[in-house]
């Protein structure tokens, strides 16, 4: 028996990377999965590979009408909704003074507005089902920012706050709402040129000295969506290899890092 036998799940941004890993894990655990994205060819291919328990839907998460259509299609496909994973996101690195309003709002509309619309639109079907789980994908940049990420950071901090508000409002309906905060993940966003060096080199000062992988984020998401997390809501699950815990200092006791070569080397 899988943890999600008989359950129905929507995952946004599911055509590749982290969202794909999440969708595949839910399906492997018995769920019917709606894979939503704007990358139609990739999304269709992933859904076909998963099999009859998966369906791909085109969804621009910043469009309320498309969200309404997606929820309707979900009910037609599975008859219910047990979990929503707001995973879709984009990033636009630039200094504040170089960021146009258009570029800023493009990120806000996908990352923040998309999450808001997903929660708002899916909530009635979750309530009708008798409760369920919403997992919103934020970031470590929703807890502590970096330079050059004004729009991304703003959207991820917003997701963190919206998660808590939704948890407070919907707990009485049996709907739990939590956020996941990944660190670096080996996806097109986290490692766009798929460089093996970038899987380790930038992470030599964190506790687990490597990049994260999509299946590791998917495991955290599935836990929060499952009955195992039945008393967890409004919380933040950081999955970052220890990035936010602190930095290993070369030469101090307990550190294997050195300053030899390029960057830090274990």
């Amino acid at each position: 028996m899988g943890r999600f036998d008989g359950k129905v799940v929507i995952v946004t941004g599911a055509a590749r990377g982290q969202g794909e890993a999440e969708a595949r894990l839910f399906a492997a655990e018995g769920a019917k999965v709606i894979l939503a994205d704007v990358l139609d060819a990739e999304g269709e291919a992933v859904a076909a590979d998963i099999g009859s328990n998966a369906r791909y839907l085109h969804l621009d998460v910043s469009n309320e009408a498309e969200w309404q259509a997606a929820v309707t299609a979900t009910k037609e496909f599975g008859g219910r909704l047990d979990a929503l994973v707001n995973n879709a996101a984009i990033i636009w690195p630039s200094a504040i003074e170089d960021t146009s309003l258009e570029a800023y709002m493009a990120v806000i509309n996908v990352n923040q507005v998309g999450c808001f619309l997903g929660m708002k639109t899916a909530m009635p079907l979750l309530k009708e089902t008798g409760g369920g789980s919403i997992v919103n994908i934020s970031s470590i940049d929703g807890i502590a920012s970096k330079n050059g990420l004004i729009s991304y950071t703003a959207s991820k901090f917003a997701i963190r706050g919206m998660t808590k508000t939704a948890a407070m409002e919907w707990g009485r309906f049996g709907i739990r709402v939590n956020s996941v905060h990944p660190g670096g993940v080996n996806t097109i966003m986290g490692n766009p040129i798929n460089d093996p060096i970038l899987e380790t080199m930038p992470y030599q000062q964190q506790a687990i000295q490597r990049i994260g992988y999509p299946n590791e984020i998917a495991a955290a998401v599935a836990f929060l969506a499952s009955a195992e997390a039945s008393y967890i809501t409004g919380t933040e699950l950081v999955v970052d290899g220890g990035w936010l815990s602190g930095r290993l200092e070369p030469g101090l006791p307990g550190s294997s890092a050195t300053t030899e070569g390029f960057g830090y080397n274990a």
Side-chain angles (χ1 to χ4, degrees), residues 142-164:
I143 296 175
S145 186
K146 302 181 186 73
N147 55 295
L149 294 179
I150 182 64
S151 55
Y152 186 77
T153 293
S155 70
K156 295 301 186 177
F157 263 81
I159 288 172
R160 181 183 175 195
M162 291 192 299
T163 294
K164 295 181 183 300

CSV table of all heavy atoms in Angstrom, one decimal, residues 142-164:
chain,number,residue,atom,x,y,z
A,142,GLY,N,13.7,32.7,1.0
A,142,GLY,CA,12.5,33.2,1.7
A,142,GLY,C,12.7,33.3,3.2
A,142,GLY,O,11.8,33.7,3.9
A,143,ILE,N,14.0,33.0,3.6
A,143,ILE,CA,14.3,33.2,5.0
A,143,ILE,C,15.5,34.1,5.2
A,143,ILE,O,15.5,34.9,6.1
A,143,ILE,CB,14.7,31.8,5.6
A,143,ILE,CG1,13.4,30.9,5.6
A,143,ILE,CG2,15.2,31.9,7.0
A,143,ILE,CD1,13.6,29.5,6.0
A,144,ALA,N,16.5,34.0,4.3
A,144,ALA,CA,17.7,34.9,4.3
A,144,ALA,C,18.1,35.1,2.9
A,144,ALA,O,18.3,34.2,2.1
A,144,ALA,CB,18.8,34.3,5.1
A,145,SER,N,18.1,36.4,2.5
A,145,SER,CA,18.3,36.7,1.1
A,145,SER,C,19.8,36.7,0.6
A,145,SER,O,20.7,36.5,1.4
A,145,SER,CB,17.7,38.1,0.8
A,145,SER,OG,17.7,38.3,-0.6
A,146,LYS,N,19.9,36.9,-0.7
A,146,LYS,CA,21.2,37.1,-1.3
A,146,LYS,C,21.1,38.3,-2.2
A,146,LYS,O,20.0,38.7,-2.6
A,146,LYS,CB,21.6,35.9,-2.2
A,146,LYS,CG,21.7,34.6,-1.5
A,146,LYS,CD,22.2,33.5,-2.5
A,146,LYS,CE,22.1,32.1,-1.9
A,146,LYS,NZ,20.7,31.6,-1.8
A,147,ASN,N,22.2,39.0,-2.4
A,147,ASN,CA,22.2,40.1,-3.4
A,147,ASN,C,21.9,39.6,-4.8
A,147,ASN,O,22.1,38.5,-5.2
A,147,ASN,CB,23.6,40.7,-3.4
A,147,ASN,CG,24.7,39.8,-3.7
A,147,ASN,OD1,25.0,38.8,-3.0
A,147,ASN,ND2,25.4,39.9,-4.9
A,148,GLY,N,21.2,40.5,-5.5
A,148,GLY,CA,20.9,40.2,-6.9
A,148,GLY,C,19.6,39.4,-7.1
A,148,GLY,O,19.3,39.0,-8.2
A,149,LEU,N,18.8,39.2,-6.0
A,149,LEU,CA,17.6,38.4,-6.1
A,149,LEU,C,16.4,39.1,-5.5
A,149,LEU,O,15.6,38.6,-4.8
A,149,LEU,CB,17.8,37.1,-5.3
A,149,LEU,CG,18.8,36.1,-5.9
A,149,LEU,CD1,18.9,34.8,-5.0
A,149,LEU,CD2,18.5,35.7,-7.3
A,150,ILE,N,16.3,40.4,-5.9
A,150,ILE,CA,15.2,41.2,-5.3
A,150,ILE,C,13.8,40.7,-5.5
A,150,ILE,O,13.0,40.5,-4.6
A,150,ILE,CB,15.3,42.7,-5.7
A,150,ILE,CG1,14.2,43.6,-5.1
A,150,ILE,CG2,15.2,42.8,-7.2
A,150,ILE,CD1,14.4,43.7,-3.6
A,151,SER,N,13.5,40.3,-6.8
A,151,SER,CA,12.1,39.8,-7.1
A,151,SER,C,11.9,38.4,-6.6
A,151,SER,O,10.9,38.1,-6.0
A,151,SER,CB,11.9,39.9,-8.6
A,151,SER,OG,12.9,39.2,-9.3
A,152,TYR,N,12.9,37.6,-6.7
A,152,TYR,CA,12.8,36.2,-6.3
A,152,TYR,C,12.6,36.1,-4.8
A,152,TYR,O,11.8,35.4,-4.2
A,152,TYR,CB,14.0,35.4,-6.7
A,152,TYR,CG,14.0,33.9,-6.5
A,152,TYR,CD1,13.2,33.1,-7.2
A,152,TYR,CD2,14.7,33.4,-5.4
A,152,TYR,CE1,13.2,31.7,-7.0
A,152,TYR,CE2,14.7,32.0,-5.1
A,152,TYR,CZ,13.9,31.2,-5.9
A,152,TYR,OH,13.9,29.8,-5.7
A,153,THR,N,13.5,36.9,-4.1
A,153,THR,CA,13.4,36.9,-2.6
A,153,THR,C,12.1,37.4,-2.1
A,153,THR,O,11.5,36.9,-1.2
A,153,THR,CB,14.6,37.7,-2.0
A,153,THR,OG1,15.8,37.0,-2.3
A,153,THR,CG2,14.5,37.9,-0.6
A,154,ALA,N,11.6,38.5,-2.7
A,154,ALA,CA,10.4,39.1,-2.3
A,154,ALA,C,9.2,38.1,-2.5
A,154,ALA,O,8.4,37.9,-1.6
A,154,ALA,CB,10.1,40.3,-3.2
A,155,SER,N,9.2,37.3,-3.6
A,155,SER,CA,8.2,36.3,-3.8
A,155,SER,C,8.3,35.2,-2.8
A,155,SER,O,7.3,34.7,-2.3
A,155,SER,CB,8.3,35.8,-5.2
A,155,SER,OG,9.4,35.0,-5.5
A,156,LYS,N,9.5,34.8,-2.5
A,156,LYS,CA,9.7,33.6,-1.6
A,156,LYS,C,9.4,34.0,-0.1
A,156,LYS,O,8.9,33.1,0.6
A,156,LYS,CB,11.1,33.0,-1.8
A,156,LYS,CG,11.3,32.4,-3.2
A,156,LYS,CD,10.3,31.3,-3.5
A,156,LYS,CE,10.6,30.6,-4.8
A,156,LYS,NZ,9.7,29.5,-5.1
A,157,PHE,N,9.7,35.2,0.3
A,157,PHE,CA,9.3,35.6,1.6
A,157,PHE,C,7.8,35.7,1.7
A,157,PHE,O,7.2,35.4,2.7
A,157,PHE,CB,9.9,37.0,1.9
A,157,PHE,CG,11.2,37.0,2.7
A,157,PHE,CD1,12.4,36.7,2.1
A,157,PHE,CD2,11.2,37.2,4.1
A,157,PHE,CE1,13.6,36.7,2.8
A,157,PHE,CE2,12.3,37.2,4.8
A,157,PHE,CZ,13.5,36.9,4.2
A,158,ALA,N,7.1,36.2,0.6
A,158,ALA,CA,5.7,36.3,0.6
A,158,ALA,C,5.0,34.9,0.7
A,158,ALA,O,4.0,34.7,1.4
A,158,ALA,CB,5.2,36.9,-0.7
A,159,ILE,N,5.6,33.9,0.0
A,159,ILE,CA,5.0,32.5,0.1
A,159,ILE,C,5.1,32.1,1.6
A,159,ILE,O,4.2,31.4,2.1
A,159,ILE,CB,5.8,31.6,-0.8
A,159,ILE,CG1,5.4,31.9,-2.3
A,159,ILE,CG2,5.5,30.1,-0.5
A,159,ILE,CD1,6.3,31.2,-3.3
A,160,ARG,N,6.2,32.4,2.2
A,160,ARG,CA,6.4,32.0,3.6
A,160,ARG,C,5.2,32.6,4.5
A,160,ARG,O,4.6,31.9,5.3
A,160,ARG,CB,7.7,32.4,4.1
A,160,ARG,CG,8.1,32.1,5.5
A,160,ARG,CD,9.4,32.8,5.8
A,160,ARG,NE,9.9,32.7,7.1
A,160,ARG,CZ,10.9,33.4,7.7
A,160,ARG,NH1,11.5,34.3,6.9
A,160,ARG,NH2,11.2,33.2,8.9
A,161,GLY,N,4.9,33.8,4.3
A,161,GLY,CA,3.9,34.5,5.1
A,161,GLY,C,2.5,34.0,4.7
A,161,GLY,O,1.6,33.8,5.5
A,162,MET,N,2.2,33.9,3.4
A,162,MET,CA,0.9,33.4,2.9
A,162,MET,C,0.6,32.0,3.4
A,162,MET,O,-0.6,31.7,3.8
A,162,MET,CB,0.8,33.4,1.4
A,162,MET,CG,0.9,34.8,0.8
A,162,MET,SD,0.4,34.8,-1.0
A,162,MET,CE,1.7,33.8,-1.7
A,163,THR,N,1.6,31.2,3.5
A,163,THR,CA,1.5,29.8,4.0
A,163,THR,C,0.9,29.9,5.5
A,163,THR,O,0.0,29.1,5.8
A,163,THR,CB,2.8,29.1,4.0
A,163,THR,OG1,3.2,28.9,2.7
A,163,THR,CG2,2.7,27.8,4.7
A,164,LYS,N,1.4,30.7,6.3
A,164,LYS,CA,1.0,30.8,7.7
A,164,LYS,C,-0.4,31.4,7.8
A,164,LYS,O,-1.2,30.9,8.6
A,164,LYS,CB,2.0,31.7,8.5
A,164,LYS,CG,3.4,31.1,8.6
A,164,LYS,CD,4.3,31.9,9.4
A,164,LYS,CE,5.7,31.3,9.4
A,164,LYS,NZ,5.8,30.0,9.9
